[in-house]
């Protein structure tokens, strides 16, 4: 998420919610009304690797209470009062010997209150939380814009947007979990193995809530998508179909209608300034050896936007709240991965604590972050890398979205005879990563102009880009509609977030079932290559060797120790190129011929290669 992609929404939001200084605004603490109306996390489990648990308890006047508990294996370590008398932090230790059940917590203040807190048994289902590998192919979609499978949840009582309007790019359109699940077959036919919906948790904002990045409750699926139980069923159904689920999460900020912002536990739960202060959106301030403290603070503590309060992750209670929330998300659903929005904007020490805690509980959980940076070194700084720590920060995030390679592919294919050097160099820069193969490679997303439009709707170039996407190192990700040539520019963002044709009853076109012309050709091309990739792990999990581009031709190989080898050779010019295959003898030795995977054409001679203009070949080498 970048500010430049968000500005068109600011005017809309200002009419609904503006910057509010972060002061605690407690409700009445009338002891006669004392009752507990919410506890986060909403429930927990026995057998977690970290036995510590901190409950955030809300209820009128609850902050003056002491807490006792009589339950085998669980102890109350103490309570912490906060500025707002309607909140209390309760610290527990859940020992390995504790059994699932209801904890009878006794709160003694002006009035005695009993609350039964549920401890559950952890799931032993081996299909849960599988993680991601290079063998996966991720499909990114916006759930509100993909398909409406349950019209009954289009309008939900109590939400601030109580209507749908498909003719408005900022309104809700009605897509939901059921709509996604109805089209698992489309995804599987395409060769997809993992689904990444933009945030599904509650976004009860009065304007533009459809995108999901201004969260108002991290413990509740937005009811216009479904219920918490339906989300668990969705994950289970996806796993049953061989599809993994990536959950999109936001650490850095919440929406200004988040319940903890409207009724703050304490002022120091959020970064505050005398007047509204934006982030400077410049991550270089974090590791600039000559940088100023002011720039560092503005980047980390400034608000992403007027309706996105910046949470204070240096507050231990806030850090614990966030970490427990996302542990809860994984354990309660069995999701396979997190995509972390605006990753660099969070407090660096918190990011290290978050990564350590999540990896400690879920060793297989995949995590990749949005680090939309403009140099290879800056991008690598935010993933696990071999670089030295800076200001005490050493990233433990396994992977990032590879914006650098995305930009390089764009540079190569914009205009005539585009520059291939940046693409070569983007991969050469992988030396900085602990394992760059975990990075997520993509052509476009919900914040970017659609790639087909970026390259002037050139179909041959588009096929070349898809070839690179599915054959380079890393985990490929495709944005919904890219497989059927959906197009437009992100000015404003809503133009690249159109409804998928056929996702709503009565749509004039249904691209789930019938894809005319080049839309169908694109789907077939991506499907064939993605499914070949799935059937031939050498193309996804194999080693990579690239050769410096020459004369507008870029060549690389995917190969393994079992003797399998695939050559990818792309002619990025407008004329046929004759390529001396002897240059690649390091990889072609022992092979005498090949088959071009997409056309089925035989290549009888690997020493002289005649590659057509604006064409990428995927050649399975034969002995």
């Amino acid at each position: 998420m970048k500010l430049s992609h968000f500005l068109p929404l600011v005017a809309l939001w200002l009419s609904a919610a503006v910057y509010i200084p972060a002061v605690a605004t407690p409700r009445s603490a009338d002891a006669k009304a004392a009752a507990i109306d919410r506890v986060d996390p909403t429930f927990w489990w026995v057998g977690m690797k970290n036995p510590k648990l901190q409950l955030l308890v809300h209820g009128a006047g609850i902050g003056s209470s002491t807490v006792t508990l009589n339950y085998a294996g669980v102890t109350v370590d103490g309570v912490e009062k906060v500025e707002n008398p309607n909140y209390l932090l309760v610290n527990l230790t859940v020992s390995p010997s504790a059994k699932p059940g209801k904890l009878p917590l006794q709160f003694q203040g002006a009035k005695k209150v009993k609350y039964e807190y549920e401890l559950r048994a952890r799931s032993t289902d081996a299909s849960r939380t599988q993680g991601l590998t290079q063998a996966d192919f991720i499909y990114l979609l916006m759930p509100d814009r993909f398909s409406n499978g349950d019209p009954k949840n289009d309008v939900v009582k109590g939400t601030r947007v109580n209507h749908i309007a498909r003719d408005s790019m900022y309104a809700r359109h009605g897509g939901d979990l059921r709509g996604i699940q109805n089209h698992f077959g489309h995804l599987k036919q395409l060769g997809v193995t993992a689904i990444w919906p933009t945030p599904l948790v509650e976004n009860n904002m009065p304007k533009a809530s459809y995108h999901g990045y201004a969260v108002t409750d991290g413990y509740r699926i937005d009811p216009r998508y479904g219920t918490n139980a339906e989300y668990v069923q969705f994950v289970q159904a996806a796993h049953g179909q061989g599809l993994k689920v990536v959950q999109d999460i936001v650490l850095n900020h919440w929406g200004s209608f988040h319940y903890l912002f409207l009724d703050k536990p304490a002022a120091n739960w959020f970064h505050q300034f005398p007047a509204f202060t934006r982030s400077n959106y410049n991550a270089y301030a974090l590791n600039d050896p000559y940088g100023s403290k002011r720039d560092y603070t503005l980047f980390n503590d400034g608000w992403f936007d007027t309706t996105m309060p910046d949470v204070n992750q240096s507050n231990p209670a806030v850090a614990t709240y966030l970490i427990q929330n996302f542990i809860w998300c994984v354990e309660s659903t069995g999701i396979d991965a997190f995509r972390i929005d605006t990753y660099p904007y969070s407090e660096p020490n918190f990011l290290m604590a978050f990564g350590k805690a999540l990896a400690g509980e879920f060793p297989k959980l995949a995590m990749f972050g949005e680090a939309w940076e403009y140099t290879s070194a800056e991008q690598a700084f935010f993933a696990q890398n071999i670089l030295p720590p800076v200001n005490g920060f050493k990233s433990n995030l396994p992977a990032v979205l590879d914006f650098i390679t995305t930009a390089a592919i764009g540079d190569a294919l914009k205009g005539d005879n585009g520059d291939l050097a940046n693409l070569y160099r983007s991969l050469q820069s992988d030396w900085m990563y602990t394992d760059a193969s975990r990075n997520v490679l993509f052509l476009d997303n919900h914040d970017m102009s659609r790639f087909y439009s970026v390259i002037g709707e050139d179909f041959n170039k588009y096929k070349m880009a898809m070839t690179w996407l599915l054959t380079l190192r890393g985990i490929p990700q495709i944005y919904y509609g890219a497989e059927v040539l959906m197009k437009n520019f992100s000015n404003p963002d809503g133009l690249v977030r159109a409804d998928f044709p056929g996702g709503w009853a009565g749509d004039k076109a249904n691209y789930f079932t019938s894809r005319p012309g080049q839309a169908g050709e694109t789907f077939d091309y991506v499907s064939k290559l993605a499914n070949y990739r799935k059937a031939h792990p050498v193309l996804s999990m194999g080693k990579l060797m690239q050769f410096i581009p020459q004369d507008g031709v870029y060549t690389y190989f995917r190969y393994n120790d079992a003797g399998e080898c695939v050559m990818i050779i792309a002619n990025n010019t407008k004329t046929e190129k004759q390529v001396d295959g002897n240059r690649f003898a390091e990889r072609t030795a022992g092979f005498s011929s090949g088959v071009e995977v997409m056309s089925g054409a035989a290549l009888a001679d690997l020493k002289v290669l005649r590659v057509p203009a604006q064409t990428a070949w995927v050649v399975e080498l034969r002995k």
Side-chain angles (χ1 to χ4, degrees), residues 4 36 80 112 114 121 202 204 211 237 246 265 278 309 373 403 420 427 449 491 507 522 530 533 560 574:
S4 59
I36 294 171
E80 298 176 39
K112 182 181 290 186
K114 180 181 178 181
E202 183 193 89
N204 194 12
H211 60 72
V246 179
R278 289 186 187 279
E373 306 304 330
F403 282 90
L420 290 163
L427 297 172
S449 295
N491 186 24
D507 281 357
T522 304
R533 182 180 187 272
N560 59 26
K574 301 182 91 173

Side-chain angles (χ1 to χ4, degrees), residues 306-332:
T306 56
T307 57
M308 293 181 171
D310 198 82
V311 294
N312 180 14
Q313 297 155 339
S314 61
N315 179 334
V318 175
T320 298
Y321 184 90
L322 288 167
I323 290 170
Q324 289 183 163
N325 183 191
F326 294 111
I327 289 174
W328 183 92
C329 287
V330 181
E331 185 63 29
S332 65

Side-chain angles (χ1 to χ4, degrees), residues 379 400-407 433 439-442 473:
Q379 179 173 284
V400 290
L401 285 152
D402 193 353
F403 282 90
I404 298 300
T405 302
T406 297
Y433 295 93
N439 287 347
V440 175
L441 184 63
F442 62 103
R473 64 92 181 98

